[in-house]
Structures are given as C-alpha cells and as structure tokens.
Amino acid sequence: MQPVVISPSVLDQVGIFIALIILIIMAWNLWVTYINQVYLKTVEWIILEIKPPKDVWKSPAAMELVFNTLFGGGAGNWYEKYWKGELAQYYSLEIASIEGKVRFFVRFHKKFRKGFEAQLYAQYPQAEITEVEDYTKNVPEFTKDGPISLFAYNLTLAKDDPYPIKTYVDYGLDKAIGSLEEEQRIDPITPILETMGSIGIGEQIWFQINIRQDTKRYVVKGKDGVLEESKSWKDKAREIIKELNEKLKEKDADGKTSSRRATKGEQNVVEAIERHMNKPGFDCGIRVIYLAKKENFNSPTVTAFTAMFRQFSTEDLNSFKVGDLTRFVEPWKDPLGTRLLKMKKDFLQDYKDRSFFYGGFNFRKPSKYFTNPNKSGGKPFLLSTEELATIYHLPGRVSETPTFTRIEAKKSEPPIDLPI
C-alpha cells in the first residue's frame, strides 16, 4: 500500500483556516472588551449613606428582603450583551470607619436609586438615606514615600460555596423581637462594628462587598463521573448532598449495602445546605483595608482587624478565611519590596474603583500578584441573601458602638395647620 501524500496546497489551506479562526476569536474578544469598557464608562454611579434609627426593632431578615429585590439585573438578550456591551448589574455594600466613626454605604447605578430607597424604607421606615461624596477620594494613591501606611486582605470561603457560614438564623435572630431580652441577643455584626469603631485619629478601616446575581460557573460530576461545567451553585449543592448521603452507605461482611442513620451533626449539615439552596444567591467579592497616616499606624490593630469575621465560622459548615493579603511571610519572595508595594497600591485602587467582576469604572485588571484572578477581575464566591444579610445589616440596640452613626430623633411630618 502506498502512503497517502498530502499536497503542500492542502496544508496551506488548513493553516490559513486555523489562523482565520484564531483571528476571529481574538477580534471577537477585543470587541467585547471594548464595548464593555464603553458601557462601564457611561454608567452614572452614586454612593448613598444609610443612617439607621436609634432603635432598630427588625431582625437581619429585613435586610434580606431588601437584598431579594437586588437579585436580577442581568445583561439581557444578545443585542444588549454583544452590541451595546451591557453587563449584569453589580452593587458595592460598604462599611467604613473614619477615625472610629462607623458609617454604612451602598454604591450602584443611579437609575436604581428610587427602587432601592423604596425597598429600604419599606423595611426601615425611620432610616435616613442621603447621597454623599465618595469617602475614598480623600485618601491619596499609595506610594512608597507617601503619607499613609496600609494593610489589606481579601476574604474567601474555606469550603465549597454551598456550605453556608453561621448566619443570623443560627444566632436566633430570625425570631420575633421580644422573644429574647435585648441584652441576651447576640448580633454577629457587632464584632465588626466594635473593631472598626475602636480606631483613633488618623486611622481608617474600609469593608467592601461587591455583589451581583449568581452566574453558572460551577463544575459538577455528570454521568460516568465526567465533569460538566456551567452549572448553577444549586446543582453543586445537590451534588454535595448526594455525596454526603453516599457516605452513609456501608457494606456488611457479605458485601450487602445498607444505609446507617445519620448523626445529628451530619443531619444538620444537610439541612443547612438545603435551607441555603432555597435562597437567592449572589456572586461576591470581599476586601478589607486598614490604612492610617504613617505616624498613626497601629500594628496591634492589624491583629483584631484580621479576626473580626471569626463569629461566622462553624466547623461542620463554612467559614471565612483570608485570601490575598499585603504580607509576604517568606522574605526571599520579595527581597526588594517591589511586589508588596505594587500589591498595596492595587488593593487601594481596586477598592476605590470597586473593581472586581468587570474591572470597575477604569476597567482595571487585578494585580498579577493576587491569586486566582479571572479575566473579569476576580474570583468570586457565593453567599445567599441570608448570609449576606448576616454580615451587612442595620444593627439593633444590641450594638452599642459609641461611634456608630445613628439618627437620634424620630422624624415626623410637619403639622398641616402651620401658618403660611
């Protein structure tokens, strides 16, 4: 049998075809990046400050209802995505302590303001919402010889996303107010506010949660163990529950399979994941920054600063852990300090830009020194509305942080018979 000979012309045609496909893909990616950048620069962002009343008699479930209304805001059809460049809407939930004065903020597209205010006032009628200037503008860019020192980190989850953290429901705050004495109630947001409120002159702590509607970005096992991508987090949760149930199966001496009774702990894990699945989920990215004038930077504050999220941890379920942080334990990894300088600069600028999912207003990419960055700006994790409301809600009187900003007086309408 004579060997098959492929003529040079055929090889040339195949090469041209492959090169054409590569060029088309590159051109398409450039186009999508460009129109996304143009879209982001047209968005009119606003920052609202939320001042809670002196007495908040609502549980965090009230804030969960507010977050339910933020769920959605996808890019829409192909025309909106690939011609107009629209992206899924995202929000930034923020708590900032300026020299110990703790304040709540939210940043989003201005066109959603009326809807957001209506939902927040529905749950917190006595709260006060005002549009304010961006508090981060008063802090200069971080430089080696600049006036500020900085320590920052990202948060991530210790286990797979479907495992929930310890929430306000686990603390009993889902029960009606009055079923527990005020001094007996434990609000998990209190350690955050106390830590942030403990700083002094020249110091600031910023806490930021970037959120958007959850996306299909999970890998689950298909038939015959083949991996399948682009599944929802609820598909991933079902897979985890299935694996947990498989662990209950045992074989006896004859090789017969039977299921043992789940322990109380194992049962609680499955129930928590199932409760988690019944809530809307948000892709999230969390970053925290402690900064101060160089003469006011307090190293002991860093210890408390990195420990203020431990109350959300539970051994059987999930917890927060520090991801990227502005420190190199092994000095040989950064002998000249240039990597650390770049990371601190990027941490501060990314916070100011609220860049995570799409790179923010300036369409910046994350620092190359951050772990697991994806093409859109960061590696998100998932929190349900229950978890989100646990770490960001208007606290009741149980939180008596002296520097926490509240409305002291109850607002009321003016009398209708005032003289003109």
Side-chain angles (χ1 to χ4, degrees), residues 48-51 113 116-117 120-121 127-131:
L48 302 180
E49 181 177 0
I50 307 170
K51 292 182 181 179
R113 176 175 181 172
F116 175 81
E117 288 183 336
L120 193 77
Y121 280 133
E128 185 177 282
I129 306 173
T130 54
E131 184 174 349

Side-chain angles (χ1 to χ4, degrees), residues 56 59 162 203-204 247 249 252 282 314 381 412:
V56 176
S59 82
E203 298 177 276
Q204 299 188 36
K247 292 180 180 179
K249 295 181 180 180
D252 57 22
F282 285 90
T314 175
F381 56 87
S412 60

Side-chain angles (χ1 to χ4, degrees), residues 6-55:
I6 301 177
S7 66
S9 60
V10 174
L11 292 175
D12 291 343
Q13 291 175 3
V14 172
I16 292 173
F17 180 73
I18 294 174
L20 183 61
I21 292 176
I22 294 173
L23 286 173
I24 291 173
I25 293 173
M26 291 176 62
W28 176 255
N29 288 334
L30 286 172
W31 166 253
V32 172
T33 300
Y34 169 73
I35 59 174
N36 288 163
Q37 184 177 8
V38 171
Y39 168 75
L40 286 171
K41 288 183 177 181
T42 63
V43 174
E44 188 175 0
W45 302 103
I46 61 167
I47 295 179
L48 302 180
E49 181 177 0
I50 307 170
K51 292 182 181 179
K54 186 174 182 179
D55 296 309

Side-chain angles (χ1 to χ4, degrees), residues 54-55 182 190 193-194 396-404 406:
K54 186 174 182 179
D55 296 309
E182 186 71 17
T190 301
L193 302 182
E194 291 291 340
R397 289 299 302 271
V398 68
S399 178
E400 293 289 354
T401 305
T403 54
F404 182 59
R406 293 183 186 270

Side-chain angles (χ1 to χ4, degrees), residues 155-160 163-166 309-322 381 383 387:
L155 282 181
T156 185
L157 292 176
K159 295 183 180 179
D160 287 338
Y163 288 95
I165 59 171
K166 191 172 184 179
F309 297 95
R310 290 179 181 170
Q311 67 275 14
F312 305 114
S313 302
T314 175
E315 184 135 352
D316 291 335
L317 294 170
N318 219 332
S319 60
F320 287 119
K321 68 176 183 179
V322 174
F381 56 87
L383 294 178
E387 295 173 292

Side-chain angles (χ1 to χ4, degrees), residues 41-103:
K41 288 183 177 181
T42 63
V43 174
E44 188 175 0
W45 302 103
I46 61 167
I47 295 179
L48 302 180
E49 181 177 0
I50 307 170
K51 292 182 181 179
K54 186 174 182 179
D55 296 309
V56 176
W57 301 109
K58 298 284 188 76
S59 82
M63 187 60 79
E64 185 176 351
L65 292 177
V66 175
F67 291 145
N68 283 336
T69 65
L70 303 185
F71 186 78
N77 57 40
W78 69 268
Y79 173 75
E80 293 171 333
K81 285 183 181 180
Y82 302 121
W83 184 254
K84 299 176 67 176
E86 292 187 8
L87 294 161
Q89 299 302 322
Y90 64 104
Y91 301 78
S92 181
L93 312 173
E94 302 173 9
I95 306 175
S97 175
I98 315 297
E99 297 185 333
K101 186 178 181 181
V102 182
R103 302 160 68 186

Side-chain angles (χ1 to χ4, degrees), residues 120-177:
L120 193 77
Y121 280 133
Q123 302 304 323
Y124 302 96
Q126 302 304 323
E128 185 177 282
I129 306 173
T130 54
E131 184 174 349
V132 295
E133 187 179 23
D134 187 355
Y135 61 93
T136 69
K137 288 183 177 180
N138 298 323
V139 176
E141 180 182 274
F142 183 83
T143 59
K144 183 179 180 180
D145 300 319
I148 62 171
S149 294
L150 180 151
F151 184 87
Y153 61 87
N154 290 330
L155 282 181
T156 185
L157 292 176
K159 295 183 180 179
D160 287 338
D161 292 357
Y163 288 95
I165 59 171
K166 191 172 184 179
T167 70
Y168 73 87
V169 174
D170 301 308
Y171 279 99
L173 292 182
D174 59 321
K175 298 178 175 62
I177 302 300

